[in-house]
PDB file of all heavy atoms in Angstrom:
ATOM      1  N   PRO A   1     -13.897 -12.854  -2.270  1.00  0.00           N
ATOM      2  CA  PRO A   1     -12.941 -11.770  -2.017  1.00  0.00           C
ATOM      3  C   PRO A   1     -11.503 -12.216  -2.236  1.00  0.00           C
ATOM      4  O   PRO A   1     -11.168 -13.386  -2.011  1.00  0.00           O
ATOM      5  CB  PRO A   1     -13.184 -11.409  -0.546  1.00  0.00           C
ATOM      6  CG  PRO A   1     -13.767 -12.643   0.057  1.00  0.00           C
ATOM      7  CD  PRO A   1     -14.557 -13.304  -1.032  1.00  0.00           C
ATOM      8  N   ARG A   2     -10.689 -11.293  -2.691  1.00  0.00           N
ATOM      9  CA  ARG A   2      -9.263 -11.565  -2.861  1.00  0.00           C
ATOM     10  C   ARG A   2      -8.570 -11.353  -1.516  1.00  0.00           C
ATOM     11  O   ARG A   2      -8.609 -10.257  -0.956  1.00  0.00           O
ATOM     12  CB  ARG A   2      -8.664 -10.654  -3.926  1.00  0.00           C
ATOM     13  CG  ARG A   2      -7.172 -10.866  -4.136  1.00  0.00           C
ATOM     14  CD  ARG A   2      -6.632  -9.966  -5.219  1.00  0.00           C
ATOM     15  NE  ARG A   2      -7.108 -10.383  -6.542  1.00  0.00           N
ATOM     16  CZ  ARG A   2      -6.786  -9.759  -7.676  1.00  0.00           C
ATOM     17  NH1 ARG A   2      -6.016  -8.676  -7.641  1.00  0.00           N
ATOM     18  NH2 ARG A   2      -7.250 -10.200  -8.821  1.00  0.00           N
ATOM     19  N   GLN A   3      -7.948 -12.382  -0.998  1.00  0.00           N
ATOM     20  CA  GLN A   3      -7.251 -12.297   0.281  1.00  0.00           C
ATOM     21  C   GLN A   3      -5.842 -11.763   0.054  1.00  0.00           C
ATOM     22  O   GLN A   3      -5.085 -12.306  -0.751  1.00  0.00           O
ATOM     23  CB  GLN A   3      -7.215 -13.661   0.959  1.00  0.00           C
ATOM     24  CG  GLN A   3      -8.596 -14.171   1.357  1.00  0.00           C
ATOM     25  CD  GLN A   3      -8.534 -15.479   2.113  1.00  0.00           C
ATOM     26  OE1 GLN A   3      -7.588 -16.234   2.006  1.00  0.00           O
ATOM     27  NE2 GLN A   3      -9.566 -15.755   2.887  1.00  0.00           N
ATOM     28  N   GLU A   4      -5.502 -10.694   0.785  1.00  0.00           N
ATOM     29  CA  GLU A   4      -4.227 -10.013   0.579  1.00  0.00           C
ATOM     30  C   GLU A   4      -3.663  -9.526   1.903  1.00  0.00           C
ATOM     31  O   GLU A   4      -4.414  -9.202   2.832  1.00  0.00           O
ATOM     32  CB  GLU A   4      -4.406  -8.801  -0.346  1.00  0.00           C
ATOM     33  CG  GLU A   4      -4.919  -9.134  -1.726  1.00  0.00           C
ATOM     34  CD  GLU A   4      -5.325  -7.896  -2.497  1.00  0.00           C
ATOM     35  OE1 GLU A   4      -5.987  -7.018  -1.911  1.00  0.00           O
ATOM     36  OE2 GLU A   4      -4.991  -7.804  -3.684  1.00  0.00           O
ATOM     37  N   THR A   5      -2.344  -9.457   1.973  1.00  0.00           N
ATOM     38  CA  THR A   5      -1.657  -8.760   3.050  1.00  0.00           C
ATOM     39  C   THR A   5      -1.109  -7.468   2.459  1.00  0.00           C
ATOM     40  O   THR A   5      -0.396  -7.496   1.456  1.00  0.00           O
ATOM     41  CB  THR A   5      -0.512  -9.603   3.627  1.00  0.00           C
ATOM     42  OG1 THR A   5      -1.062 -10.813   4.174  1.00  0.00           O
ATOM     43  CG2 THR A   5       0.210  -8.840   4.738  1.00  0.00           C
ATOM     44  N   VAL A   6      -1.480  -6.343   3.053  1.00  0.00           N
ATOM     45  CA  VAL A   6      -1.125  -5.029   2.515  1.00  0.00           C
ATOM     46  C   VAL A   6      -0.198  -4.335   3.498  1.00  0.00           C
ATOM     47  O   VAL A   6      -0.554  -4.137   4.663  1.00  0.00           O
ATOM     48  CB  VAL A   6      -2.385  -4.166   2.283  1.00  0.00           C
ATOM     49  CG1 VAL A   6      -2.005  -2.816   1.686  1.00  0.00           C
ATOM     50  CG2 VAL A   6      -3.375  -4.895   1.386  1.00  0.00           C
ATOM     51  N   ARG A   7       0.988  -3.971   3.026  1.00  0.00           N
ATOM     52  CA  ARG A   7       1.937  -3.261   3.879  1.00  0.00           C
ATOM     53  C   ARG A   7       1.869  -1.768   3.568  1.00  0.00           C
ATOM     54  O   ARG A   7       2.037  -1.357   2.415  1.00  0.00           O
ATOM     55  CB  ARG A   7       3.346  -3.781   3.658  1.00  0.00           C
ATOM     56  CG  ARG A   7       4.389  -3.129   4.561  1.00  0.00           C
ATOM     57  CD  ARG A   7       5.729  -3.824   4.424  1.00  0.00           C
ATOM     58  NE  ARG A   7       5.625  -5.230   4.810  1.00  0.00           N
ATOM     59  CZ  ARG A   7       6.615  -6.107   4.652  1.00  0.00           C
ATOM     60  NH1 ARG A   7       7.766  -5.728   4.112  1.00  0.00           N
ATOM     61  NH2 ARG A   7       6.460  -7.363   5.025  1.00  0.00           N
ATOM     62  N   LEU A   8       1.628  -0.965   4.590  1.00  0.00           N
ATOM     63  CA  LEU A   8       1.571   0.487   4.444  1.00  0.00           C
ATOM     64  C   LEU A   8       2.721   1.095   5.230  1.00  0.00           C
ATOM     65  O   LEU A   8       2.714   1.079   6.465  1.00  0.00           O
ATOM     66  CB  LEU A   8       0.236   1.026   4.983  1.00  0.00           C
ATOM     67  CG  LEU A   8      -1.042   0.499   4.322  1.00  0.00           C
ATOM     68  CD1 LEU A   8      -2.279   1.012   5.046  1.00  0.00           C
ATOM     69  CD2 LEU A   8      -1.085   0.900   2.866  1.00  0.00           C
ATOM     70  N   ASP A   9       3.692   1.622   4.521  1.00  0.00           N
ATOM     71  CA  ASP A   9       4.832   2.272   5.158  1.00  0.00           C
ATOM     72  C   ASP A   9       4.573   3.777   5.156  1.00  0.00           C
ATOM     73  O   ASP A   9       4.749   4.456   4.141  1.00  0.00           O
ATOM     74  CB  ASP A   9       6.113   1.941   4.396  1.00  0.00           C
ATOM     75  CG  ASP A   9       7.356   2.459   5.109  1.00  0.00           C
ATOM     76  OD1 ASP A   9       7.207   3.252   6.063  1.00  0.00           O
ATOM     77  OD2 ASP A   9       8.475   2.084   4.706  1.00  0.00           O
ATOM     78  N   LEU A  10       4.143   4.304   6.294  1.00  0.00           N
ATOM     79  CA  LEU A  10       3.769   5.710   6.375  1.00  0.00           C
ATOM     80  C   LEU A  10       4.982   6.629   6.374  1.00  0.00           C
ATOM     81  O   LEU A  10       4.826   7.854   6.312  1.00  0.00           O
ATOM     82  CB  LEU A  10       2.931   5.959   7.633  1.00  0.00           C
ATOM     83  CG  LEU A  10       1.686   5.072   7.791  1.00  0.00           C
ATOM     84  CD1 LEU A  10       0.844   5.550   8.967  1.00  0.00           C
ATOM     85  CD2 LEU A  10       0.857   5.029   6.525  1.00  0.00           C
ATOM     86  N   GLY A  11       6.173   6.068   6.439  1.00  0.00           N
ATOM     87  CA  GLY A  11       7.377   6.893   6.422  1.00  0.00           C
ATOM     88  C   GLY A  11       7.856   7.259   5.030  1.00  0.00           C
ATOM     89  O   GLY A  11       8.752   8.096   4.886  1.00  0.00           O
ATOM     90  N   VAL A  12       7.253   6.673   3.982  1.00  0.00           N
ATOM     91  CA  VAL A  12       7.642   7.022   2.614  1.00  0.00           C
ATOM     92  C   VAL A  12       7.140   8.424   2.303  1.00  0.00           C
ATOM     93  O   VAL A  12       5.950   8.700   2.450  1.00  0.00           O
ATOM     94  CB  VAL A  12       7.066   6.008   1.607  1.00  0.00           C
ATOM     95  CG1 VAL A  12       7.388   6.435   0.170  1.00  0.00           C
ATOM     96  CG2 VAL A  12       7.617   4.618   1.885  1.00  0.00           C
ATOM     97  N   PRO A  13       8.010   9.343   1.882  1.00  0.00           N
ATOM     98  CA  PRO A  13       7.592  10.738   1.680  1.00  0.00           C
ATOM     99  C   PRO A  13       6.526  10.883   0.594  1.00  0.00           C
ATOM    100  O   PRO A  13       6.491  10.128  -0.384  1.00  0.00           O
ATOM    101  CB  PRO A  13       8.889  11.445   1.258  1.00  0.00           C
ATOM    102  CG  PRO A  13       9.991  10.539   1.695  1.00  0.00           C
ATOM    103  CD  PRO A  13       9.443   9.151   1.617  1.00  0.00           C
ATOM    104  N   SER A  14       5.674  11.882   0.785  1.00  0.00           N
ATOM    105  CA  SER A  14       4.677  12.232  -0.219  1.00  0.00           C
ATOM    106  C   SER A  14       5.322  13.057  -1.327  1.00  0.00           C
ATOM    107  O   SER A  14       6.331  13.724  -1.123  1.00  0.00           O
ATOM    108  CB  SER A  14       3.552  13.042   0.440  1.00  0.00           C
ATOM    109  OG  SER A  14       2.706  13.614  -0.529  1.00  0.00           O
ATOM    110  N   ARG A  15       4.702  13.036  -2.517  1.00  0.00           N
ATOM    111  CA  ARG A  15       5.233  13.804  -3.643  1.00  0.00           C
ATOM    112  C   ARG A  15       4.774  15.259  -3.621  1.00  0.00           C
ATOM    113  O   ARG A  15       5.172  16.042  -4.478  1.00  0.00           O
ATOM    114  CB  ARG A  15       4.784  13.173  -4.965  1.00  0.00           C
ATOM    115  CG  ARG A  15       5.345  11.774  -5.189  1.00  0.00           C
ATOM    116  CD  ARG A  15       5.185  11.367  -6.646  1.00  0.00           C
ATOM    117  NE  ARG A  15       3.812  11.454  -7.102  1.00  0.00           N
ATOM    118  CZ  ARG A  15       2.940  10.461  -7.040  1.00  0.00           C
ATOM    119  NH1 ARG A  15       3.295   9.315  -6.491  1.00  0.00           N
ATOM    120  NH2 ARG A  15       1.731  10.607  -7.503  1.00  0.00           N
ATOM    121  N   GLY A  16       3.917  15.634  -2.679  1.00  0.00           N
ATOM    122  CA  GLY A  16       3.438  17.013  -2.627  1.00  0.00           C
ATOM    123  C   GLY A  16       2.210  17.128  -1.760  1.00  0.00           C
ATOM    124  O   GLY A  16       1.778  16.160  -1.109  1.00  0.00           O
ATOM    125  N   ASP A  17       1.630  18.333  -1.755  1.00  0.00           N
ATOM    126  CA  ASP A  17       0.491  18.612  -0.898  1.00  0.00           C
ATOM    127  C   ASP A  17      -0.849  18.406  -1.589  1.00  0.00           C
ATOM    128  O   ASP A  17      -1.901  18.609  -0.978  1.00  0.00           O
ATOM    129  CB  ASP A  17       0.571  20.052  -0.365  1.00  0.00           C
ATOM    130  CG  ASP A  17       1.751  20.247   0.578  1.00  0.00           C
ATOM    131  OD1 ASP A  17       2.155  19.244   1.201  1.00  0.00           O
ATOM    132  OD2 ASP A  17       2.255  21.375   0.676  1.00  0.00           O
ATOM    133  N   GLU A  18      -0.841  18.048  -2.875  1.00  0.00           N
ATOM    134  CA  GLU A  18      -2.080  17.752  -3.580  1.00  0.00           C
ATOM    135  C   GLU A  18      -2.419  16.270  -3.410  1.00  0.00           C
ATOM    136  O   GLU A  18      -1.531  15.420  -3.381  1.00  0.00           O
ATOM    137  CB  GLU A  18      -1.949  18.091  -5.065  1.00  0.00           C
ATOM    138  CG  GLU A  18      -1.730  19.577  -5.342  1.00  0.00           C
ATOM    139  CD  GLU A  18      -2.910  20.436  -4.922  1.00  0.00           C
ATOM    140  OE1 GLU A  18      -4.058  19.967  -5.092  1.00  0.00           O
ATOM    141  OE2 GLU A  18      -2.686  21.557  -4.413  1.00  0.00           O
ATOM    142  N   LEU A  19      -3.706  15.972  -3.318  1.00  0.00           N
ATOM    143  CA  LEU A  19      -4.137  14.591  -3.163  1.00  0.00           C
ATOM    144  C   LEU A  19      -3.689  13.758  -4.364  1.00  0.00           C
ATOM    145  O   LEU A  19      -3.927  14.122  -5.507  1.00  0.00           O
ATOM    146  CB  LEU A  19      -5.663  14.541  -3.027  1.00  0.00           C
ATOM    147  CG  LEU A  19      -6.283  13.145  -2.892  1.00  0.00           C
ATOM    148  CD1 LEU A  19      -5.846  12.497  -1.582  1.00  0.00           C
ATOM    149  CD2 LEU A  19      -7.804  13.225  -2.967  1.00  0.00           C
ATOM    150  N   HIS A  20      -3.037  12.632  -4.095  1.00  0.00           N
ATOM    151  CA  HIS A  20      -2.566  11.790  -5.183  1.00  0.00           C
ATOM    152  C   HIS A  20      -2.440  10.352  -4.709  1.00  0.00           C
ATOM    153  O   HIS A  20      -2.303  10.076  -3.515  1.00  0.00           O
ATOM    154  CB  HIS A  20      -1.213  12.280  -5.714  1.00  0.00           C
ATOM    155  CG  HIS A  20      -0.120  12.259  -4.687  1.00  0.00           C
ATOM    156  ND1 HIS A  20       0.055  13.262  -3.752  1.00  0.00           N
ATOM    157  CD2 HIS A  20       0.852  11.338  -4.435  1.00  0.00           C
ATOM    158  CE1 HIS A  20       1.085  12.976  -2.981  1.00  0.00           C
ATOM    159  NE2 HIS A  20       1.577  11.816  -3.365  1.00  0.00           N
ATOM    160  N   ARG A  21      -2.496   9.443  -5.684  1.00  0.00           N
ATOM    161  CA  ARG A  21      -2.271   8.037  -5.373  1.00  0.00           C
ATOM    162  C   ARG A  21      -0.823   7.864  -4.942  1.00  0.00           C
ATOM    163  O   ARG A  21       0.084   8.425  -5.550  1.00  0.00           O
ATOM    164  CB  ARG A  21      -2.571   7.179  -6.607  1.00  0.00           C
ATOM    165  CG  ARG A  21      -2.770   5.712  -6.283  1.00  0.00           C
ATOM    166  CD  ARG A  21      -3.098   4.922  -7.531  1.00  0.00           C
ATOM    167  NE  ARG A  21      -4.373   5.295  -8.122  1.00  0.00           N
ATOM    168  CZ  ARG A  21      -5.553   4.849  -7.712  1.00  0.00           C
ATOM    169  NH1 ARG A  21      -5.614   4.013  -6.685  1.00  0.00           N
ATOM    170  NH2 ARG A  21      -6.656   5.226  -8.306  1.00  0.00           N
ATOM    171  N   HIS A  22      -0.624   7.078  -3.887  1.00  0.00           N
ATOM    172  CA  HIS A  22       0.699   7.019  -3.267  1.00  0.00           C
ATOM    173  C   HIS A  22       1.142   5.560  -3.174  1.00  0.00           C
ATOM    174  O   HIS A  22       1.358   5.020  -2.095  1.00  0.00           O
ATOM    175  CB  HIS A  22       0.640   7.670  -1.886  1.00  0.00           C
ATOM    176  CG  HIS A  22       1.984   8.002  -1.316  1.00  0.00           C
ATOM    177  ND1 HIS A  22       2.922   8.741  -1.971  1.00  0.00           N
ATOM    178  CD2 HIS A  22       2.523   7.700  -0.105  1.00  0.00           C
ATOM    179  CE1 HIS A  22       3.997   8.893  -1.206  1.00  0.00           C
ATOM    180  NE2 HIS A  22       3.784   8.264  -0.076  1.00  0.00           N
ATOM    181  N   ASN A  23       1.265   4.930  -4.317  1.00  0.00           N
ATOM    182  CA  ASN A  23       1.581   3.507  -4.342  1.00  0.00           C
ATOM    183  C   ASN A  23       2.893   3.115  -3.685  1.00  0.00           C
ATOM    184  O   ASN A  23       3.024   1.985  -3.227  1.00  0.00           O
ATOM    185  CB  ASN A  23       1.551   3.000  -5.784  1.00  0.00           C
ATOM    186  CG  ASN A  23       0.140   2.877  -6.317  1.00  0.00           C
ATOM    187  OD1 ASN A  23      -0.789   2.633  -5.554  1.00  0.00           O
ATOM    188  ND2 ASN A  23      -0.040   3.057  -7.603  1.00  0.00           N
ATOM    189  N   PRO A  24       3.941   3.984  -3.632  1.00  0.00           N
ATOM    190  CA  PRO A  24       5.183   3.534  -2.989  1.00  0.00           C
ATOM    191  C   PRO A  24       4.997   3.095  -1.540  1.00  0.00           C
ATOM    192  O   PRO A  24       5.807   2.333  -1.024  1.00  0.00           O
ATOM    193  CB  PRO A  24       6.071   4.781  -3.065  1.00  0.00           C
ATOM    194  CG  PRO A  24       5.584   5.496  -4.271  1.00  0.00           C
ATOM    195  CD  PRO A  24       4.098   5.285  -4.272  1.00  0.00           C
ATOM    196  N   MET A  25       3.956   3.575  -0.870  1.00  0.00           N
ATOM    197  CA  MET A  25       3.756   3.194   0.529  1.00  0.00           C
ATOM    198  C   MET A  25       2.990   1.881   0.643  1.00  0.00           C
ATOM    199  O   MET A  25       2.716   1.417   1.730  1.00  0.00           O
ATOM    200  CB  MET A  25       3.007   4.297   1.276  1.00  0.00           C
ATOM    201  CG  MET A  25       1.593   4.533   0.788  1.00  0.00           C
ATOM    202  SD  MET A  25       0.797   5.981   1.514  1.00  0.00           S
ATOM    203  CE  MET A  25       0.279   5.362   3.093  1.00  0.00           C
ATOM    204  N   GLN A  26       2.666   1.274  -0.490  1.00  0.00           N
ATOM    205  CA  GLN A  26       1.825   0.088  -0.456  1.00  0.00           C
ATOM    206  C   GLN A  26       2.522  -1.099  -1.093  1.00  0.00           C
ATOM    207  O   GLN A  26       3.118  -0.986  -2.150  1.00  0.00           O
ATOM    208  CB  GLN A  26       0.526   0.365  -1.198  1.00  0.00           C
ATOM    209  CG  GLN A  26      -0.377  -0.855  -1.329  1.00  0.00           C
ATOM    210  CD  GLN A  26      -1.625  -0.536  -2.110  1.00  0.00           C
ATOM    211  OE1 GLN A  26      -2.113   0.569  -2.092  1.00  0.00           O
ATOM    212  NE2 GLN A  26      -2.137  -1.516  -2.799  1.00  0.00           N
ATOM    213  N   SER A  27       2.457  -2.234  -0.449  1.00  0.00           N
ATOM    214  CA  SER A  27       2.962  -3.476  -1.011  1.00  0.00           C
ATOM    215  C   SER A  27       1.936  -4.555  -0.728  1.00  0.00           C
ATOM    216  O   SER A  27       1.552  -4.758   0.421  1.00  0.00           O
ATOM    217  CB  SER A  27       4.313  -3.847  -0.384  1.00  0.00           C
ATOM    218  OG  SER A  27       4.733  -5.112  -0.821  1.00  0.00           O
ATOM    219  N   ARG A  28       1.480  -5.233  -1.778  1.00  0.00           N
ATOM    220  CA  ARG A  28       0.449  -6.260  -1.617  1.00  0.00           C
ATOM    221  C   ARG A  28       1.034  -7.642  -1.870  1.00  0.00           C
ATOM    222  O   ARG A  28       1.817  -7.835  -2.791  1.00  0.00           O
ATOM    223  CB  ARG A  28      -0.705  -6.035  -2.597  1.00  0.00           C
ATOM    224  CG  ARG A  28      -1.560  -4.826  -2.293  1.00  0.00           C
ATOM    225  CD  ARG A  28      -2.740  -4.750  -3.260  1.00  0.00           C
ATOM    226  NE  ARG A  28      -3.542  -3.580  -2.987  1.00  0.00           N
ATOM    227  CZ  ARG A  28      -4.555  -3.540  -2.146  1.00  0.00           C
ATOM    228  NH1 ARG A  28      -4.904  -4.623  -1.480  1.00  0.00           N
ATOM    229  NH2 ARG A  28      -5.246  -2.435  -1.956  1.00  0.00           N
ATOM    230  N   GLN A  29       0.588  -8.587  -1.071  1.00  0.00           N
ATOM    231  CA  GLN A  29       0.923  -9.987  -1.288  1.00  0.00           C
ATOM    232  C   GLN A  29      -0.352 -10.798  -1.182  1.00  0.00           C
ATOM    233  O   GLN A  29      -1.207 -10.524  -0.329  1.00  0.00           O
ATOM    234  CB  GLN A  29       1.946 -10.479  -0.265  1.00  0.00           C
ATOM    235  CG  GLN A  29       3.304  -9.808  -0.365  1.00  0.00           C
ATOM    236  CD  GLN A  29       4.278 -10.346   0.662  1.00  0.00           C
ATOM    237  OE1 GLN A  29       3.925 -11.153   1.507  1.00  0.00           O
ATOM    238  NE2 GLN A  29       5.521  -9.901   0.573  1.00  0.00           N
ATOM    239  N   ARG A  30      -0.500 -11.782  -2.055  1.00  0.00           N
ATOM    240  CA  ARG A  30      -1.675 -12.647  -1.984  1.00  0.00           C
ATOM    241  C   ARG A  30      -1.658 -13.460  -0.700  1.00  0.00           C
ATOM    242  O   ARG A  30      -0.617 -13.933  -0.258  1.00  0.00           O
ATOM    243  CB  ARG A  30      -1.712 -13.585  -3.192  1.00  0.00           C
ATOM    244  CG  ARG A  30      -2.073 -12.912  -4.506  1.00  0.00           C
ATOM    245  CD  ARG A  30      -3.515 -12.432  -4.502  1.00  0.00           C
ATOM    246  NE  ARG A  30      -3.911 -11.952  -5.809  1.00  0.00           N
ATOM    247  CZ  ARG A  30      -4.549 -12.680  -6.710  1.00  0.00           C
ATOM    248  NH1 ARG A  30      -4.860 -13.932  -6.439  1.00  0.00           N
ATOM    249  NH2 ARG A  30      -4.877 -12.171  -7.876  1.00  0.00           N
ATOM    250  N   GLY A  31      -2.811 -13.614  -0.098  1.00  0.00           N
ATOM    251  CA  GLY A  31      -2.951 -14.425   1.101  1.00  0.00           C
ATOM    252  C   GLY A  31      -2.856 -13.598   2.372  1.00  0.00           C
ATOM    253  O   GLY A  31      -2.377 -12.468   2.380  1.00  0.00           O
ATOM    254  N   LEU A  32      -3.363 -14.173   3.456  1.00  0.00           N
ATOM    255  CA  LEU A  32      -3.353 -13.521   4.766  1.00  0.00           C
ATOM    256  C   LEU A  32      -2.236 -14.141   5.595  1.00  0.00           C
ATOM    257  O   LEU A  32      -2.351 -15.280   6.065  1.00  0.00           O
ATOM    258  CB  LEU A  32      -4.704 -13.712   5.463  1.00  0.00           C
ATOM    259  CG  LEU A  32      -5.914 -13.154   4.703  1.00  0.00           C
ATOM    260  CD1 LEU A  32      -7.211 -13.595   5.383  1.00  0.00           C
ATOM    261  CD2 LEU A  32      -5.852 -11.639   4.639  1.00  0.00           C
ATOM    262  N   LYS A  33      -1.157 -13.406   5.767  1.00  0.00           N
ATOM    263  CA  LYS A  33      -0.016 -13.927   6.521  1.00  0.00           C
ATOM    264  C   LYS A  33      -0.313 -13.900   8.021  1.00  0.00           C
ATOM    265  O   LYS A  33      -0.876 -12.938   8.527  1.00  0.00           O
ATOM    266  CB  LYS A  33       1.233 -13.099   6.239  1.00  0.00           C
ATOM    267  CG  LYS A  33       1.731 -13.160   4.803  1.00  0.00           C
ATOM    268  CD  LYS A  33       3.096 -12.539   4.667  1.00  0.00           C
ATOM    269  CE  LYS A  33       3.129 -11.120   5.187  1.00  0.00           C
ATOM    270  NZ  LYS A  33       4.453 -10.498   5.022  1.00  0.00           N
ATOM    271  N   ALA A  34       0.120 -14.931   8.704  1.00  0.00           N
ATOM    272  CA  ALA A  34      -0.066 -14.971  10.150  1.00  0.00           C
ATOM    273  C   ALA A  34       1.143 -14.422  10.897  1.00  0.00           C
ATOM    274  O   ALA A  34       1.027 -13.947  12.014  1.00  0.00           O
ATOM    275  CB  ALA A  34      -0.340 -16.403  10.603  1.00  0.00           C
ATOM    276  N   ALA A  35       2.335 -14.481  10.287  1.00  0.00           N
ATOM    277  CA  ALA A  35       3.546 -14.017  10.964  1.00  0.00           C
ATOM    278  C   ALA A  35       3.538 -12.503  11.104  1.00  0.00           C
ATOM    279  O   ALA A  35       3.168 -11.777  10.181  1.00  0.00           O
ATOM    280  CB  ALA A  35       4.778 -14.460  10.192  1.00  0.00           C
TER     281      ALA A  35
END
């Protein structure tokens, strides 16, 4: 498995009411951060 830390910022506005990929709310970094 690829180990990643994924940041989900739920405050980033959606582009609309239709289901869509919402990458601006996601930031991935390799590895599992402990901090």
Side-chain angles (χ1 to χ4, degrees):
R2 179 179 289 180
Q3 295 184 337
E4 299 169 316
T5 298
V6 182
R7 183 172 299 173
L8 300 174
D9 187 348
L10 306 188
V12 176
S14 169
R15 295 195 305 269
D17 293 333
E18 296 296 323
L19 178 66
H20 61 278
R21 197 179 295 278
H22 196 53
N23 286 330
M25 65 188 280
Q26 175 182 330
S27 174
R28 290 184 181 271
Q29 295 181 355
R30 287 292 188 96
L32 301 171
K33 295 191 305 182

